[in-house]
Amino acid sequence: MDINKLFEKSELIPAIVQDDKSGAVLMLAYMNRESLAKTLALGETVFWSRSRSEFWHKGATSGHTQRVMSIYSDCDDDTLLIRVEQVGAACHTGEYSCFFNEVMKRV
């Protein structure tokens, strides 16, 4: 696949990161062309930090790496689903997933 077509609508696209084994949604981050190319070459996730305006190799400082198992684009080619083998916590808070704040739950 030509990765350039993923960035026709925007320079940054959302990347949903999911645990390959459990299916748990771990986090949402953003990628640009270069961070996706780095991810493909390295085999681990590399994102673009919107707040710091720099590349962010997940786990480079924490050791909580994400080994990429597969990458899919959605039907509009403007969002990625990245399935990973997560080592340690995905969230900077130390939680396994970034999605732990319950907003609503139907019982």
Side-chain angles (χ1 to χ4, degrees), residues 13-71:
I13 60 172
I16 301 163
V17 181
Q18 185 178 34
D19 185 293
D20 190 54
K21 289 190 175 116
S22 71
V25 176
L26 302 176
M27 58 183 283
L28 171 80
Y30 290 85
M31 291 185 142
N32 61 18
R33 246 182 220 92
E34 194 172 348
S35 65
L36 178 55
K38 288 175 182 278
T39 295
L40 293 170
L42 187 61
E44 292 184 351
T45 54
V46 178
F47 302 108
W48 178 254
S49 171
R50 297 180 302 161
S51 60
R52 297 186 314 265
S53 296
E54 65 184 17
F55 293 105
W56 160 39
H57 176 192
K58 181 69 175 149
T61 56
S62 68
H64 298 170
T65 57
Q66 296 175 333
R67 181 173 169 237
V68 176
M69 305 307 289
S70 64
I71 302 176

Side-chain angles (χ1 to χ4, degrees), residues 10 15 27 52 82 87:
S10 178
M27 58 183 283
R52 297 186 314 265
I82 304 176
V87 174

